[in-house]
Amino acid sequence: MNPAARKKEILSVLARDGSVQVVELARSLDVSKVTIRSDLDELETKGLLVRTHGGAVPAETQGSSRFISQTINEYTNQKIAIAKLASTFIKSGQSIIIDNGSTTLHIAQYIADLPITVTTSSLLVMQELMHAEKVDLLMAGGILRRPSMGLMGNFSKEFYRQIHADWCFLGAAGYSSRHGVYCTNLIEADTKQTMIQSASKVCLLVDSSKMEHLSLAKVCDWNSIHYLITDSISEEIRTVIESQGVKVMVVDEA
């Protein structure tokens, strides 16, 4: 079996079983454990799996991701209102991080005339701001994750570790008042964690469909979030989140 076919088989087994082990793959594919480890490392670099001790797991649950071309047309008015309120936090001369996502994307239209520095992994944010002459635009490279049209992985993480931002505007696939913030991809979650660590303040932007919705990959607990902006939230959930030090803002109240 050639290397390309072997890696395809590894991904097939991973999709079927939910995890793979180096020893078992080496035996079934009749190659050395060194070869399998090398294959797994390469597949991880491409964002196709996450290495574990002795094996690997999927980077995301099959079928859990939705493409931004779909989500950008859902709750559009709410997302625009959320992004508009978030943009009022940004002052001239500041440095900000804009995460991938169909809500965070809308921030770009409100900051194009501000003399600020924007760092992003989002190709869509880049397109929005590439002709904004007052904005210094920095792109964090990495693996392209097509569902979000954003870059992620080790290259992105290393870039974010080298900068400091006044604000990180974070997107998410869901959140839980008890358990924190989630996304659908383990590698993307890891990248988001580095963004958070690189910013003085973090603002989570989520529409109400994300409320009490858990996904595969945990991004952070509430102690990493300073502000949550949404379009609707139950009083019970709001109370629990605010009790953990987060300022909750609802656009209808703003």
Side-chain angles (χ1 to χ4, degrees), residues 126-146:
M126 179 195 73
Q127 287 181 329
E128 287 288 321
L129 294 175
M130 63 191 301
H131 299 299
E133 294 184 1
K134 291 185 178 180
V135 175
D136 289 330
L137 182 60
L138 304 178
M139 284 297 299
I143 306 158
L144 175 61
R145 183 169 180 266
R146 287 180 174 82

Side-chain angles (χ1 to χ4, degrees), residues 12-127:
S12 177
V13 174
L14 185 61
R16 183 191 70 207
D17 297 344
S19 66
V20 292
Q21 295 297 315
V22 170
V23 173
E24 293 174 5
L25 287 173
R27 184 185 304 115
S28 64
L29 297 174
D30 195 25
V31 293
S32 71
K33 289 184 286 186
V34 171
T35 298
I36 294 298
R37 290 191 188 99
S38 177
D39 288 346
L40 294 179
D41 288 343
E42 183 178 335
L43 292 169
E44 182 178 48
T45 300
K46 293 179 179 179
L48 298 174
L49 54 77
V50 174
R51 293 283 273 114
T52 61
H53 181 70
V57 295
E60 59 190 67
T61 304
Q62 195 168 10
S64 65
S65 295
R66 303 180 63 223
F67 280 78
I68 196 169
S69 57
Q70 298 172 308
T71 58
I72 201 169
N73 295 314
E74 299 171 351
Y75 300 92
T76 304
N77 291 338
Q78 293 92 330
K79 290 175 180 180
I80 290 172
I82 290 166
K84 184 177 182 179
L85 179 55
S87 72
T88 63
F89 295 166
I90 305 165
K91 308 302 179 187
S92 294
Q94 289 190 325
S95 175
I96 69 170
I97 295 170
I98 302 180
D99 190 13
N100 307 321
S102 58
T103 304
T104 51
L105 167 64
H106 291 293
I107 293 175
Q109 65 186 291
Y110 296 109
I111 61 173
D113 293 325
L114 285 177
I116 59 174
T117 299
V118 175
T119 304
T120 188
S121 301
S122 168
L123 299 185
L124 301 182
V125 170
M126 179 195 73
Q127 287 181 329

